[in-house]
Amino acid sequence: MSKNDFKKCVILYVEGQTEEEFYQKVKAYMRTKLPTAKFNVDKFDIVCTKSINRFKHKLLAKFQNEVMSKYRKKDEVTVVLCYDSDGYEYGTHPIVDKDKLEDELKKAGAKKVIRLVADKTIEDFIMIDKKGVLKFLGLPLTTAIKGNNGLEQIQYLFKKKNKTYFKGTRVEGLLEALDFNLICSKLCSNLSLLCYEVGIDCPKVKDIMKS
């Protein structure tokens, strides 16, 4: 690619290791939906900020130093902010002014900013495949699941196996055990803008984009 060519990149910023691994699996699934298995962008990266605090204090600097230093004003850089809604609704984390952050990212060079929000936590997305989680833990598929959200449910199931689930940390083998065909199908509306940005041309994406 010559230096005069237009470039397009998509950068996902996530909070922790769980989110990073989850969206890497989503990315791999999305690739299967492309005829050539190639995204219609020059770069599609997933960057872990390691905490909600870094989302607030470090993300903009990372974007300026690691992304925009490599791109020009005419290039199209899309930022996707991936976060749990519980960090903003229930006061368990410092509040991030999402509108201000979006404005600052655009001033720094982002052409678009997309918000990909897990309601209430990324574990709610994981628990879409309850059977996969139960199989991973070696629990009967008839196991009753308790908890008000995905995080509480996973913690409950891990406790039944005398294990502890720590939010934000990688659990070896858990996401590999999940059916991302099922998960991504259920999250179609959540992922539609991202699918559109990377060139996935499917009827569901078109319908959602029109609505």
Side-chain angles (χ1 to χ4, degrees):
M1 177 177 291
S2 73
K3 61 183 180 181
N4 292 321
D5 287 334
F6 168 83
K7 291 183 179 180
K8 180 176 180 178
C9 81
V10 175
I11 309 293
L12 275 69
Y13 287 105
V14 302
E15 293 180 51
Q17 292 178 321
T18 305
E19 289 83 357
E20 181 179 19
E21 188 180 4
F22 181 88
Y23 285 110
Q24 289 289 1
K25 295 294 183 184
V26 170
K27 178 180 174 181
Y29 170 79
M30 290 170 65
R31 193 184 297 276
T32 68
K33 297 301 176 183
L34 293 162
T36 62
K38 292 182 179 180
F39 297 111
N40 189 29
V41 292
D42 301 286
K43 193 177 188 68
F44 181 4
D45 279 353
I46 299 169
V47 179
C48 180
T49 61
K50 297 184 179 179
S51 76
I52 193 68
N53 286 311
R54 287 182 180 270
F55 234 74
K56 182 178 182 180
H57 300 296
K58 302 294 185 181
L59 188 152
L60 185 61
K62 286 177 71 67
F63 176 69
Q64 291 172 320
N65 296 332
E66 299 174 7
V67 179
M68 289 313 302
S69 62
K70 302 174 184 177
Y71 290 88
R72 303 151 302 174
K73 289 184 178 180
K74 73 174 186 177
D75 295 328
E76 184 174 311
V77 179
T78 298
V79 173
V80 184
L81 301 176
C82 306
Y83 54 86
D84 293 353
S85 69
D86 72 339
Y88 301 89
E89 293 178 359
Y90 303 111
T92 55
H93 299 295
I95 295 174
V96 175
D97 187 331
K98 301 182 290 297
D99 293 332
K100 182 179 179 182
L101 177 58
E102 182 173 331
D103 288 342
E104 289 176 340
L105 284 166
K106 288 180 177 177
K107 288 178 182 177
K111 290 294 190 295
K112 298 179 184 177
V113 178
I114 297 170
R115 302 177 191 182
L116 211 173
V117 186
D119 183 27
K120 306 290 188 197
T121 67
I122 193 67
E123 287 78 16
D124 287 273
F125 284 179
I126 292 172
M127 286 302 292
I128 289 172
D129 184 13
K130 293 180 175 65
K131 289 183 179 180
V133 176
L134 291 169
K135 287 180 180 179
F136 167 75
L137 290 170
L139 292 168
L141 297 184
T142 55
T143 300
I145 301 174
K146 298 180 181 180
N148 295 320
N149 55 48
L151 177 59
E152 292 181 3
Q153 291 169 0
I154 288 182
Q155 288 174 332
Y156 171 79
L157 293 175
F158 267 65
K159 189 174 181 180
K160 289 183 73 69
K161 297 294 291 188
N162 296 314
K163 298 180 178 182
T164 303
Y165 178 87
F166 294 102
K167 179 170 178 57
T169 60
R170 188 173 185 274
V171 178
E172 186 70 36
L174 172 58
L175 294 184
E176 284 80 358
L178 302 182
D179 180 355
F180 273 83
N181 187 10
L182 169 65
I183 291 172
C184 290
S185 295
K186 294 289 187 180
L187 295 179
C188 185
S189 60
N190 301 74
L191 298 172
S192 60
L193 291 177
L194 176 58
C195 287
Y196 175 80
E197 290 300 323
V198 299
I200 294 177
D201 184 23
C202 78
K204 289 184 179 179
V205 171
K206 288 179 180 178
D207 290 343
I208 292 169
M209 293 300 296
K210 289 178 183 177
S211 61

